[in-house]
Amino acid sequence: MLRGWVKDKRAALHGSTHSLNSAAELQELEAALKAVTHIMNDDLETAEAKLSEGNSSFHKLGKGVVAFLRAALGFEPEIIREASEILADAESTASSDLRRAQKDPQAFHSSIYAPGSEYSLCLSQSHLMAAVVGILNENLMEGIRGFYKLRKAYINLDAILEAERKYVQSKDSTSSFTTQKNSFDSLGTNGSMQSVNQMPEGFGGQISEIIETNHAPTFPDIQDNNAKKAATWDAANEIDSEDDDFDEFADAEETLEQPPIPTDYTGHVDVAGATEGLANTSIASPKTPSHREPSAPFSPVSPTKSTYLLLEQDPESDIFSNPLDAFIHSGANLCFGLLLVLLSMIPPAFSKLLFIIGFKGDKPRGIRMLWQATKFYNINGAMAGLILLGYYNGLVGFCDILPDSNVSVNDSAAENIEGYPSQRLEGLLHEMRRRYPQSRLWLLEEARMIASKKRLDAAIDLLSGVDRSPLKQIEALSMFEKSLNAMYSHRYDLCSQSFRNCCDLNNWSHALYYYIAGSAHVELYRRAKASNDTSSAAEQASCATELLYKVRENAGKKKFMARQLPFDIFVVRKLNKWEARAKEWNISFIDAIGISPFEEMVYFWNGHKRMDDSQLQVSLAALAWSEDPTLNLHSHHEGLDEHAILAVLRAAIFRAQGNHEAARELLKKEVISHDKALFKNNFKDDWTCPTAHYEIGANLWMERDGSERDRERVKEAEEWVQKAGSWEKYELDARIGLKITTGMETLKGWKKENGI
């Protein structure tokens, strides 16, 4: 009891102590939402200044978002610590307001949610951001705290969504919700999406009318149930009543019962026709989108009746006439959707972390929830759009064994969330650029989308534009993306310079940056030597050696949960391996480098997926150098270890070219046929053997042709991928594990759909 009293007193120091009322809440929410619109236009300073004018939970959550973005985009230790403090303040204020809202009769009473749900959402969002910041912290204990905060957020968000489900079930099955308009039907001829009565950023509620009444709207069928719904929070908020000390760490409960995944989800961005190509539209200009119509109109989609009907409603629906309801719904879909997707993609190497959280992911449901959140023209919708674009252009682009796009519907249709729904994503990107024309984040996503279409030069040109973001963190992300595209397109000088520029823009992994930059000059050295240009060869050898020797002095400076970054460990081992070979063979360091380290990095970033055939041929030529005794005078020294690397890299290119049988046979002959113990110790690359198993599975998946043999192919593919997933610990296992996790989910899903 004393502990609870002390905590309440401490919380009061952080939060406001006045009695809550619905009119004040709406005004505070309106002011905070207006301030955070600056965030998505890369103007964090203005957003921070506006948010500092208020002291509500909404304002403090907004300040937490600003601090979180700075920390997550830049990885600077000082900024991470500052973000932790700001988010702790936001948590404390939201927790205090939540307790008071549950007891204060003047507080906002929703027709859908339990009293205080708006503050429970603020608390959950603060927990999520604090969890990520804790994981980014180099302290192991802070990282563990972060995973427990994920658990807290999961419990609170699940309670909010349970309230939605019960609200839908309470309605007569023959009744339907009134929908004034589809969220994109209001585009009209001038592209405007905001009515004069809407809150800033289109919450769809008429805030001025609600404030004038000085009380929340009444809902006769709900008022009697408020006490029951408030009880929903008892268990969920119990966990928030304790300090964040480790005495709160207890075994997680069994997985909570989840509502069923809707079968007829109606999503957000539906493009009636495909756009020709983003680079050929005015979307590339950050100054024009707000003054033009979208190139492809959004098709209205009528909601259907289901037990999850609420999930399908647009902001203009009558059920969201109160902006607080819209805020809760969009925020809950954003946060819970993100959690479900992230938890479903945890690699096997980190599977034990699920025991800390105590829950499992659900990728299809999570993605649907994120699409639902994008309907709302607020910070929640913007963040959901950014996450979806990052998921499809980043994570999906990194993996190989992916679900087929739903060919039974148009690519832009809401039901199509599997694979890579390009038209729908283009529509989403158009809309986000229209809403936030000054942000470079959307330009970055556009470049990723262009690169996924194997137009690497166009992507580089877009990222090389004269417009710059005022945020150093976004510039760092853009430079890193440009560096990767230069690597995939074999523009060695540009790749080297761009990665070195990354060292000036952030402090994340300078060892990796210098390693790839040095590897680019290794390729230039080999080319110069092959053409008998001794002067250039000497220059490139000197540059490569200088950059590669910077790797060791920069490795280990950044840590993840008190451990060295996996790539830092990898590149240092490579240096040790080459130095040992140089000494053993009595040759120079540059000549002791084995199979192209540059092409090895291309593989680890799945660059072959973004290459056209001409670039794939360049990669094959770079690998062939190692086997040519007229070019590589020391090729006869290479053993099983290097031959396995060569086989995996070459097979990956064969797979990208569609030569699946050749890829499988090469892997079986050069890698699988050998004892895995031969790939261990003495600076050897132990990642090739489990990766070869995965690659065979990926080839089998891609060989499907719609025939009866597909069942056998998928079964065999699953066996190979399962072997890779159950492999003992090896180098970069988390990176390969992400592909394995996604692959296993895809294969199991295909078998279920086909009755296997």
Side-chain angles (χ1 to χ4, degrees):
M1 180 180 295
L2 179 61
R3 181 178 181 179
W5 180 84
V6 172
K7 185 170 181 67
D8 285 341
K9 289 293 185 181
R10 185 178 61 188
L13 295 176
H14 296 279
S16 58
T17 58
H18 61 80
S19 178
L20 298 171
N21 65 76
S22 59
E25 286 185 73
L26 288 169
Q27 290 173 331
E28 290 167 347
L29 177 63
E30 179 185 30
L33 288 172
K34 186 176 181 180
V36 296
T37 58
H38 296 284
I39 294 176
M40 301 313 300
N41 271 320
D42 297 357
D43 191 359
L44 297 189
E45 285 73 18
T46 300
E48 203 165 32
K50 295 288 185 182
L51 289 165
S52 297
E53 296 174 2
N55 200 40
S56 70
S57 290
F58 307 120
H59 286 82
K60 292 191 175 183
L61 175 63
K63 286 190 281 188
V65 172
V66 173
F68 169 77
L69 287 175
R70 285 197 172 115
L73 294 176
F75 305 108
E76 306 288 344
E78 191 68 30
I79 296 177
I80 290 175
R81 283 192 292 271
E82 181 182 351
S84 296
E85 295 173 1
I86 294 173
L87 288 168
D89 185 31
E91 287 181 37
S92 179
T93 301
S95 181
S96 176
D97 283 346
L98 171 59
R99 287 192 295 272
R100 285 188 288 113
Q102 291 172 331
K103 302 174 184 177
D104 192 339
Q106 296 299 317
F108 168 66
H109 282 206
S110 168
S111 65
I112 306 170
Y113 308 102
S117 293
E118 64 272 30
Y119 299 116
S120 181
L121 175 64
C122 290
L123 187 61
S124 299
Q125 290 181 322
S126 298
H127 283 329
L128 279 176
M129 291 185 288
V132 175
V133 170
I135 294 168
L136 290 176
N137 196 301
E138 296 181 1
N139 184 283
L140 176 61
M141 303 310 288
E142 288 298 320
I144 295 176
R145 284 183 194 272
F147 283 103
Y148 273 91
K149 286 184 182 292
L150 288 181
R151 178 173 179 255
K152 290 181 179 182
Y154 193 110
I155 293 172
N156 282 347
L157 292 166
D158 187 73
I160 292 175
L161 294 169
E162 176 65 12
E164 289 190 0
R165 187 179 69 83
K166 289 182 177 179
Y167 174 73
V168 174
Q169 290 181 335
S170 71
K171 294 295 180 179
D172 188 336
S173 60
T174 61
S175 67
S176 61
F177 294 113
T178 302
T179 303
Q180 297 170 354
K181 277 186 178 182
N182 179 274
S183 58
F184 285 101
D185 195 29
S186 58
L187 281 171
T189 57
N190 60 0
S192 174
M193 299 183 65
Q194 186 171 339
S195 69
V196 293
N197 290 326
Q198 287 177 331
M199 285 184 62
E201 291 308 293
F203 256 98
Q206 299 183 3
I207 186 169
S208 58
E209 296 178 10
I210 296 172
I211 290 177
E212 287 171 6
T213 65
N214 202 35
H215 60 79
T218 59
F219 301 90
D221 59 329
I222 280 301
Q223 297 301 326
D224 293 339
N225 294 326
N226 278 333
K228 294 180 181 178
K229 289 194 295 182
T232 304
W233 295 106
D234 290 347
N237 292 313
E238 182 67 26
I239 195 170
D240 291 315
S241 65
E242 303 292 337
D243 287 325
D244 283 337
D245 297 320
F246 284 96
D247 56 0
E248 74 177 356
F249 290 0
D251 290 337
E253 300 291 337
E254 294 294 325
T255 303
L256 297 180
E257 181 181 351
Q258 301 291 344
I261 300 173
T263 57
D264 296 316
Y265 168 72
T266 306
H268 175 214
V269 182
D270 300 314
V271 185
T275 53
E276 270 301 310
L278 290 172
N280 298 324
T281 68
S282 56
I283 192 173
S285 171
K287 296 182 176 62
T288 58
S290 59
H291 304 294
R292 61 169 174 81
E293 293 182 46
S295 60
F298 292 99
S299 304
V301 180
S302 300
T304 57
K305 295 179 182 180
S306 71
T307 57
Y308 230 113
L309 180 60
L310 183 62
L311 184 65
E312 302 169 346
Q313 299 302 300
D314 297 323
E316 287 78 11
S317 169
D318 285 345
I319 59 175
F320 294 131
S321 59
N322 191 295
L324 281 164
D325 283 335
F327 171 71
I328 296 169
H329 175 75
S330 60
N333 276 274
L334 161 67
C335 297
F336 204 69
L338 175 60
L339 264 178
L340 292 176
V341 172
L342 289 179
L343 294 177
S344 71
M345 299 186 71
I346 291 181
F350 291 96
S351 59
K352 289 184 179 179
L353 295 176
L354 290 176
F355 289 101
I356 296 178
I357 302 170
F359 305 103
K360 294 181 180 180
D362 185 340
K363 190 186 297 180
R365 182 187 174 197
I367 293 174
R368 284 182 168 87
M369 295 180 77
L370 289 170
W371 278 110
Q372 169 66 12
T374 62
K375 293 181 180 181
F376 293 80
Y377 325 140
N378 55 29
I379 186 67
N380 295 328
M383 293 300 294
L386 189 62
I387 290 167
L388 281 170
L389 289 167
Y391 167 76
Y392 283 110
N393 293 327
L395 293 176
V396 171
F398 174 74
C399 298
D400 310 297
I401 306 176
L402 296 166
D404 302 312
S405 293
N406 191 342
V407 296
S408 64
V409 295
N410 184 277
D411 180 53
S412 64
E415 291 82 1
N416 186 16
I417 62 169
E418 304 290 2
Y420 186 87
S422 59
Q423 291 181 30
R424 196 175 183 202
L425 290 170
E426 286 178 6
L428 175 62
L429 182 57
H430 272 289
E431 175 55 23
M432 291 302 167
R433 288 285 287 157
R434 192 204 67 80
R435 292 187 200 175
Y436 308 102
Q438 304 305 320
S439 177
R440 290 276 297 182
L441 278 172
W442 312 116
L443 207 63
L444 172 63
E445 292 302 332
E446 183 180 346
R448 287 174 174 169
M449 197 174 290
I450 292 172
S452 71
K453 298 179 180 180
K454 304 184 178 183
R455 298 169 54 212
L456 294 170
D457 288 339
I460 292 172
D461 290 342
L462 185 60
L463 293 169
S464 302
V466 294
D467 293 322
R468 291 287 181 269
S469 171
L471 296 180
K472 180 181 177 182
Q473 295 90 340
I474 294 180
E475 282 303 295
L477 287 174
S478 298
M479 183 59 67
F480 184 72
E481 192 67 25
K482 179 180 176 180
S483 304
L484 290 177
N485 288 331
M487 180 172 71
Y488 306 150
S489 57
H490 300 95
R491 294 170 65 171
Y492 299 115
D493 283 315
L494 178 62
C495 176
S496 174
Q497 186 58 57
S498 298
F499 271 113
R500 282 181 282 174
N501 289 342
C502 287
C503 294
D504 299 326
L505 292 171
N506 71 63
N507 293 325
W508 183 239
S509 181
H510 288 187
L512 175 64
Y513 302 155
Y514 282 122
Y515 181 83
I516 299 178
S519 297
H521 289 282
V522 170
E523 294 301 320
L524 291 172
Y525 162 74
R526 292 177 175 180
R527 286 189 172 191
K529 196 173 180 182
S531 61
N532 295 318
D533 187 345
T534 55
S535 175
S536 177
E539 180 182 349
Q540 296 299 336
S542 176
C543 188
T545 303
E546 179 184 353
L547 289 170
L548 290 172
Y549 276 139
K550 285 185 177 182
V551 169
R552 192 178 281 111
E553 64 189 64
N554 284 278
K557 291 185 177 180
K558 293 296 296 183
K559 288 182 170 59
F560 179 75
M561 295 187 69
R563 294 185 179 183
Q564 277 190 278
L565 300 179
F567 264 120
D568 281 12
I569 298 173
F570 176 85
V571 296
V572 169
R573 179 191 59 77
K574 282 287 191 179
L575 287 178
N576 293 336
K577 179 179 184 179
W578 298 335
E579 287 176 338
R581 283 154 57 106
K583 183 177 181 180
E584 180 183 352
W585 300 347
N586 194 28
I587 57 176
S588 66
F589 171 78
I590 193 73
D591 288 325
I593 296 174
I595 307 301
S596 173
F598 189 88
E599 292 299 326
E600 201 173 34
M601 287 292 105
V602 168
Y603 176 78
F604 285 129
W605 292 98
N606 209 6
H608 300 127
K609 193 173 181 178
R610 294 167 177 80
M611 293 182 185
D612 59 24
D613 190 63
S614 64
Q615 293 296 342
L616 292 173
Q617 293 297 333
V618 174
S619 288
L620 285 174
L623 295 176
W625 184 93
S626 301
E627 290 184 313
D628 190 339
T630 64
L631 299 175
N632 181 12
L633 302 180
H634 311 287
S635 60
H636 61 283
H637 288 301
E638 302 293 4
L640 175 63
D641 179 40
E642 291 290 310
H643 283 295
I645 298 174
L646 179 61
V648 171
L649 300 183
R650 186 171 280 163
I653 299 173
F654 288 167
R655 174 168 58 79
Q657 293 177 322
N659 195 355
H660 302 297
E661 185 176 357
R664 288 189 287 107
E665 292 305 316
L666 177 62
L667 291 168
K668 290 178 180 178
K669 177 183 177 182
E670 298 291 340
V671 186
I672 304 298
S673 62
H674 300 284
D675 187 341
K676 64 180 182 181
L678 299 176
F679 298 95
K680 297 179 181 179
N681 304 322
N682 299 323
F683 307 126
K684 291 179 181 178
D685 289 74
D686 61 357
W687 60 270
T688 54
C689 210
T691 302
H693 284 73
Y694 165 80
E695 281 290 330
I696 292 177
N699 277 283
L700 287 165
W701 171 253
M702 294 178 181
E703 284 183 89
R704 291 171 304 130
D705 55 10
S707 67
E708 285 297 320
R709 286 196 59 198
D710 285 355
R711 290 173 171 259
E712 297 177 8
R713 292 186 179 110
V714 172
K715 285 182 179 179
E716 186 181 352
E718 187 178 35
E719 292 174 2
W720 285 103
V721 177
Q722 279 181 338
K723 288 180 182 178
S726 60
W727 211 266
E728 61 198 53
K729 186 174 179 57
Y730 58 93
E731 205 168 40
L732 299 181
D733 54 359
R735 191 167 193 82
I736 304 300
L738 180 60
K739 292 185 174 187
I740 293 171
T741 300
T742 303
M744 285 302 303
E745 184 181 62
T746 300
L747 294 167
K748 289 179 180 178
W750 191 94
K751 287 174 62 181
K752 184 177 180 180
E753 289 176 4
N754 289 271
I756 302 178

